[in-house]
Amino acid sequence: MLAACVVVVLITLVRHRTAPLDEDPSETPDVIEYMTMWIGVVYAIVLGLAIAGVWEARSAAQDHVQAEAQALHEISERVRVYPADVRDRIRGDVNAYVGHVVNTEWKAMADTGQVTDRGAELLGQVRVDVTDYEPKTDFEAQAYQPVLDQMAAADQARNARADSAAPTMPGVVWFGLIGGGVVTIGMIFALQIRRTPRELILAGLFSALIAFLLFLIWDFDAPYSRGVTASADPFLSLFPDIKG
Protein backbone atom coordinates (compact mmCIF):
# COMPACT_ATOMS: atom_id res chain seq x y z
CA MET A 1 0.00 0.00 0.00
CA LEU A 2 2.82 2.41 0.85
CA ALA A 3 4.60 1.51 -2.39
CA ALA A 4 1.44 2.20 -4.39
CA CYS A 5 1.13 5.64 -2.76
CA VAL A 6 4.79 6.47 -3.43
CA VAL A 7 4.59 5.41 -7.09
CA VAL A 8 1.48 7.48 -7.76
CA VAL A 9 2.87 10.57 -6.01
CA LEU A 10 6.24 10.30 -7.81
CA ILE A 11 4.59 9.92 -11.20
CA THR A 12 2.40 12.92 -10.45
CA LEU A 13 5.41 15.05 -9.47
CA VAL A 14 7.44 13.97 -12.51
CA ARG A 15 4.52 14.57 -14.82
CA HIS A 16 3.96 18.01 -13.31
CA ARG A 17 7.61 18.97 -13.88
CA THR A 18 7.63 17.74 -17.48
CA ALA A 19 4.23 19.14 -18.44
CA PRO A 20 4.15 21.95 -21.07
CA LEU A 21 4.08 25.46 -19.69
CA ASP A 22 0.80 26.19 -21.39
CA GLU A 23 -1.01 23.10 -20.08
CA ASP A 24 -4.33 23.93 -18.42
CA PRO A 25 -5.57 21.19 -16.03
CA SER A 26 -9.03 22.71 -16.00
CA GLU A 27 -9.49 21.84 -19.67
CA THR A 28 -9.80 18.09 -19.23
CA PRO A 29 -12.28 16.83 -21.84
CA ASP A 30 -15.64 15.79 -20.41
CA VAL A 31 -15.40 12.43 -22.17
CA ILE A 32 -12.28 11.56 -20.12
CA GLU A 33 -14.09 12.30 -16.88
CA TYR A 34 -17.01 10.16 -18.07
CA MET A 35 -14.70 7.27 -19.02
CA THR A 36 -12.82 7.53 -15.73
CA MET A 37 -16.06 7.32 -13.79
CA TRP A 38 -17.25 4.20 -15.61
CA ILE A 39 -13.86 2.51 -15.44
CA GLY A 40 -13.92 3.02 -11.67
CA VAL A 41 -17.48 1.68 -11.42
CA VAL A 42 -16.75 -1.44 -13.48
CA TYR A 43 -13.52 -2.13 -11.59
CA ALA A 44 -15.30 -1.71 -8.25
CA ILE A 45 -17.87 -4.32 -9.33
CA VAL A 46 -15.11 -6.73 -10.37
CA LEU A 47 -13.28 -6.22 -7.06
CA GLY A 48 -16.49 -6.77 -5.11
CA LEU A 49 -17.25 -10.01 -6.94
CA ALA A 50 -13.69 -11.25 -6.41
CA ILE A 51 -13.78 -10.47 -2.68
CA ALA A 52 -17.18 -12.15 -2.34
CA GLY A 53 -15.90 -15.22 -4.20
CA VAL A 54 -12.77 -15.76 -2.12
CA TRP A 55 -14.67 -15.06 1.12
CA GLU A 56 -17.29 -17.64 0.19
CA ALA A 57 -14.53 -20.14 -0.62
CA ARG A 58 -12.91 -19.45 2.75
CA SER A 59 -16.23 -19.95 4.57
CA ALA A 60 -16.84 -23.18 2.66
CA ALA A 61 -13.38 -24.41 3.66
CA GLN A 62 -14.22 -23.87 7.32
CA ASP A 63 -17.52 -25.70 6.82
CA HIS A 64 -15.63 -28.70 5.40
CA VAL A 65 -13.46 -28.81 8.52
CA GLN A 66 -16.51 -28.63 10.77
CA ALA A 67 -18.31 -31.39 8.84
CA GLU A 68 -15.28 -33.69 8.95
CA ALA A 69 -14.67 -33.17 12.66
CA GLN A 70 -18.36 -33.70 13.47
CA ALA A 71 -18.57 -36.92 11.45
CA LEU A 72 -15.49 -38.36 13.15
CA HIS A 73 -16.87 -37.36 16.53
CA GLU A 74 -20.14 -39.14 15.73
CA ILE A 75 -18.22 -42.29 14.81
CA SER A 76 -16.39 -42.23 18.14
CA GLU A 77 -19.64 -41.79 20.05
CA ARG A 78 -21.83 -44.24 18.13
CA VAL A 79 -19.42 -47.18 18.49
CA ARG A 80 -20.02 -47.17 22.24
CA VAL A 81 -22.47 -50.05 21.73
CA TYR A 82 -19.71 -52.21 20.22
CA PRO A 83 -17.56 -54.60 22.27
CA ALA A 84 -14.84 -52.89 24.26
CA ASP A 85 -11.94 -54.10 22.10
CA VAL A 86 -13.61 -53.03 18.84
CA ARG A 87 -14.74 -49.72 20.33
CA ASP A 88 -11.28 -48.89 21.65
CA ARG A 89 -9.61 -49.81 18.37
CA ILE A 90 -11.92 -47.59 16.33
CA ARG A 91 -11.60 -44.69 18.74
CA GLY A 92 -7.83 -45.08 18.82
CA ASP A 93 -7.61 -44.96 15.03
CA VAL A 94 -9.93 -41.95 14.89
CA ASN A 95 -7.76 -40.15 17.44
CA ALA A 96 -4.62 -41.06 15.49
CA TYR A 97 -6.14 -39.59 12.33
CA VAL A 98 -7.29 -36.40 14.05
CA GLY A 99 -3.90 -35.97 15.68
CA HIS A 100 -2.19 -36.30 12.30
CA VAL A 101 -4.54 -33.75 10.72
CA VAL A 102 -4.04 -31.19 13.47
CA ASN A 103 -0.30 -31.60 14.02
CA THR A 104 1.04 -32.58 10.60
CA GLU A 105 -1.43 -32.29 7.75
CA TRP A 106 -2.52 -28.75 8.60
CA LYS A 107 1.05 -27.50 8.16
CA ALA A 108 1.36 -29.45 4.91
CA MET A 109 -1.75 -27.76 3.55
CA ALA A 110 -0.33 -24.37 4.47
CA ASP A 111 3.05 -25.09 2.87
CA THR A 112 2.07 -27.06 -0.24
CA GLY A 113 -1.70 -26.65 -0.63
CA GLN A 114 -2.16 -30.42 -0.47
CA VAL A 115 -3.20 -33.03 2.06
CA THR A 116 -0.86 -35.87 3.00
CA ASP A 117 -0.86 -39.50 1.89
CA ARG A 118 -0.43 -40.53 5.52
CA GLY A 119 -3.72 -38.85 6.39
CA ALA A 120 -5.47 -40.85 3.69
CA GLU A 121 -3.94 -44.05 5.07
CA LEU A 122 -5.08 -43.31 8.61
CA LEU A 123 -8.62 -42.50 7.49
CA GLY A 124 -8.58 -45.67 5.40
CA GLN A 125 -7.75 -47.64 8.53
CA VAL A 126 -10.75 -46.13 10.30
CA ARG A 127 -12.91 -47.20 7.34
CA VAL A 128 -11.55 -50.74 7.57
CA ASP A 129 -12.29 -50.88 11.29
CA VAL A 130 -15.85 -49.68 10.74
CA THR A 131 -16.79 -51.73 7.69
CA ASP A 132 -15.13 -55.02 8.67
CA TYR A 133 -16.95 -55.36 11.95
CA GLU A 134 -19.89 -57.74 11.86
CA PRO A 135 -22.62 -56.79 14.36
CA LYS A 136 -23.42 -59.52 16.85
CA THR A 137 -26.70 -58.19 18.24
CA ASP A 138 -29.70 -56.26 16.95
CA PHE A 139 -28.60 -53.25 18.98
CA GLU A 140 -25.20 -53.26 17.29
CA ALA A 141 -26.85 -53.77 13.89
CA GLN A 142 -28.98 -50.67 14.43
CA ALA A 143 -25.84 -48.61 15.07
CA TYR A 144 -23.85 -50.14 12.20
CA GLN A 145 -25.45 -48.27 9.26
CA PRO A 146 -25.37 -44.82 10.94
CA VAL A 147 -21.66 -45.35 11.65
CA LEU A 148 -21.11 -46.20 7.97
CA ASP A 149 -22.99 -43.05 6.98
CA GLN A 150 -20.80 -40.93 9.23
CA MET A 151 -17.72 -42.62 7.77
CA ALA A 152 -18.84 -41.66 4.28
CA ALA A 153 -19.51 -38.09 5.46
CA ALA A 154 -16.01 -37.82 6.95
CA ASP A 155 -14.43 -39.11 3.74
CA GLN A 156 -16.45 -36.67 1.64
CA ALA A 157 -15.54 -33.76 3.92
CA ARG A 158 -11.85 -34.69 3.72
CA ASN A 159 -11.98 -34.73 -0.09
CA ALA A 160 -13.70 -31.33 -0.08
CA ARG A 161 -11.05 -29.99 2.30
CA ALA A 162 -8.32 -31.27 -0.02
CA ASP A 163 -9.96 -29.60 -3.03
CA SER A 164 -10.18 -26.25 -1.23
CA ALA A 165 -6.61 -26.24 0.10
CA ALA A 166 -5.07 -24.71 -3.03
CA PRO A 167 -5.68 -21.12 -4.23
CA THR A 168 -8.94 -20.80 -6.15
CA MET A 169 -8.42 -17.63 -8.23
CA PRO A 170 -7.26 -18.44 -11.80
CA GLY A 171 -4.26 -16.61 -13.21
CA VAL A 172 -6.36 -14.88 -15.86
CA VAL A 173 -8.52 -13.35 -13.11
CA TRP A 174 -5.42 -12.01 -11.35
CA PHE A 175 -4.29 -10.56 -14.68
CA GLY A 176 -7.61 -8.75 -14.96
CA LEU A 177 -7.54 -7.52 -11.36
CA ILE A 178 -3.99 -6.17 -11.51
CA GLY A 179 -4.39 -4.81 -15.03
CA GLY A 180 -7.67 -3.16 -14.07
CA GLY A 181 -6.02 -1.59 -11.03
CA VAL A 182 -3.23 -0.16 -13.19
CA VAL A 183 -5.73 1.25 -15.67
CA THR A 184 -7.93 2.69 -12.93
CA ILE A 185 -5.01 4.42 -11.21
CA GLY A 186 -3.61 5.47 -14.57
CA MET A 187 -6.82 7.33 -15.38
CA ILE A 188 -5.94 9.67 -12.50
CA PHE A 189 -3.21 11.14 -14.69
CA ALA A 190 -5.58 11.47 -17.62
CA LEU A 191 -7.49 13.95 -15.47
CA GLN A 192 -4.34 16.10 -15.30
CA ILE A 193 -4.23 16.32 -11.52
CA ARG A 194 -2.01 19.00 -10.09
CA ARG A 195 0.63 18.91 -7.37
CA THR A 196 -1.53 20.35 -4.60
CA PRO A 197 -1.38 18.51 -1.25
CA ARG A 198 -5.08 17.72 -1.41
CA GLU A 199 -4.86 16.04 -4.82
CA LEU A 200 -1.68 14.14 -3.93
CA ILE A 201 -3.24 12.82 -0.71
CA LEU A 202 -6.40 11.72 -2.49
CA ALA A 203 -4.43 10.04 -5.28
CA GLY A 204 -2.26 8.24 -2.73
CA LEU A 205 -5.24 7.09 -0.67
CA PHE A 206 -7.05 5.88 -3.77
CA SER A 207 -4.07 3.81 -4.91
CA ALA A 208 -3.57 2.48 -1.36
CA LEU A 209 -7.21 1.38 -1.20
CA ILE A 210 -6.89 -0.59 -4.42
CA ALA A 211 -3.64 -2.16 -3.17
CA PHE A 212 -5.33 -3.15 0.08
CA LEU A 213 -8.32 -4.73 -1.69
CA LEU A 214 -6.01 -6.73 -3.97
CA PHE A 215 -4.06 -7.88 -0.91
CA LEU A 216 -7.33 -8.87 0.77
CA ILE A 217 -8.28 -11.03 -2.23
CA TRP A 218 -4.84 -12.65 -2.23
CA ASP A 219 -5.03 -13.29 1.51
CA PHE A 220 -8.45 -14.99 1.35
CA ASP A 221 -7.55 -16.93 -1.80
CA ALA A 222 -5.75 -19.71 0.11
CA PRO A 223 -8.12 -20.66 2.97
CA TYR A 224 -5.59 -22.71 4.98
CA SER A 225 -2.27 -20.93 4.51
CA ARG A 226 -2.42 -17.14 4.77
CA GLY A 227 -3.57 -14.44 7.19
CA VAL A 228 -7.30 -15.01 7.77
CA THR A 229 -7.37 -18.81 7.55
CA ALA A 230 -9.78 -21.61 8.28
CA SER A 231 -8.78 -23.13 11.60
CA ALA A 232 -8.56 -26.61 13.06
CA ASP A 233 -10.59 -25.54 16.11
CA PRO A 234 -13.51 -27.91 15.32
CA PHE A 235 -11.15 -30.88 15.70
CA LEU A 236 -9.68 -29.52 18.91
CA SER A 237 -13.07 -28.76 20.45
CA LEU A 238 -14.59 -32.16 19.64
CA PHE A 239 -11.39 -34.08 20.47
CA PRO A 240 -10.00 -32.22 23.49
CA ASP A 241 -7.42 -34.92 24.17
CA ILE A 242 -5.66 -34.06 20.90
CA LYS A 243 -3.04 -31.38 21.35
CA GLY A 244 -2.56 -28.96 18.44
Side-chain angles (χ1 to χ4, degrees):
M1 291 169 62
L2 180 61
C5 293
V6 171
V7 169
V8 171
V9 171
L10 286 178
I11 293 177
T12 303
L13 295 175
V14 171
R15 183 184 179 281
H16 182 79
R17 289 181 177 276
T18 58
L21 295 177
D22 59 348
E23 182 182 44
D24 186 1
S26 65
E27 294 184 355
T28 300
D30 292 339
V31 66
I32 292 183
E33 295 182 0
Y34 181 79
M35 290 172 58
T36 301
M37 178 190 71
W38 277 107
I39 288 174
V41 169
V42 171
Y43 188 63
I45 294 174
V46 173
L47 277 177
L49 291 175
I51 292 174
V54 293
W55 177 257
E56 182 179 358
R58 188 253 177 216
S59 299
Q62 187 65 60
D63 291 340
H64 299 327
V65 177
Q66 180 66 47
E68 184 180 4
Q70 185 63 46
L72 292 170
H73 178 70
E74 288 295 322
I75 292 174
S76 293
E77 293 300 319
R78 290 176 183 270
V79 297
R80 62 187 299 270
V81 301
Y82 287 3
D85 58 333
V86 178
R87 178 181 67 242
D88 293 342
R89 183 172 67 251
I90 294 176
R91 287 178 173 176
D93 288 339
V94 169
N95 289 338
Y97 171 73
V98 173
H100 175 78
V101 169
V102 172
N103 297 316
T104 303
E105 191 166 74
W106 211 263
K107 186 177 185 301
M109 289 193 302
D111 294 339
T112 65
Q114 297 179 344
V115 296
T116 63
D117 294 335
R118 178 58 179 167
E121 294 174 2
L122 292 173
L123 187 62
Q125 183 59 50
V126 177
R127 179 183 291 277
V128 170
D129 295 339
V130 169
T131 57
D132 286 1
Y133 177 69
E134 183 177 351
K136 301 298 191 299
T137 65
D138 291 340
F139 191 32
E140 293 179 3
Q142 292 175 3
Y144 181 73
Q145 187 58 49
V147 172
L148 288 183
D149 293 340
Q150 293 299 324
M151 185 68 240
D155 192 28
Q156 182 179 10
R158 174 183 170 79
N159 291 333
R161 175 165 60 85
D163 292 338
S164 62
T168 57
M169 295 286 285
V172 65
V173 176
W174 276 114
F175 176 79
L177 290 173
I178 296 175
V182 172
V183 171
T184 303
I185 296 176
M187 291 302 293
I188 295 176
F189 307 111
L191 292 177
Q192 299 179 349
I193 65 173
R194 291 166 292 183
R195 199 176 54 176
T196 64
R198 179 181 60 183
E199 289 174 322
L200 290 178
I201 291 173
L202 289 177
L205 292 177
F206 180 69
S207 60
L209 175 62
I210 291 180
F212 170 73
L213 293 177
L214 290 176
F215 167 77
L216 198 65
I217 295 171
W218 174 83
D219 190 65
F220 286 159
D221 191 30
Y224 299 106
S225 61
R226 293 174 185 159
V228 183
T229 61
S231 69
D233 289 345
F235 286 108
L236 297 175
S237 62
L238 294 175
F239 297 89
D241 294 336
I242 305 297
K243 295 182 179 180

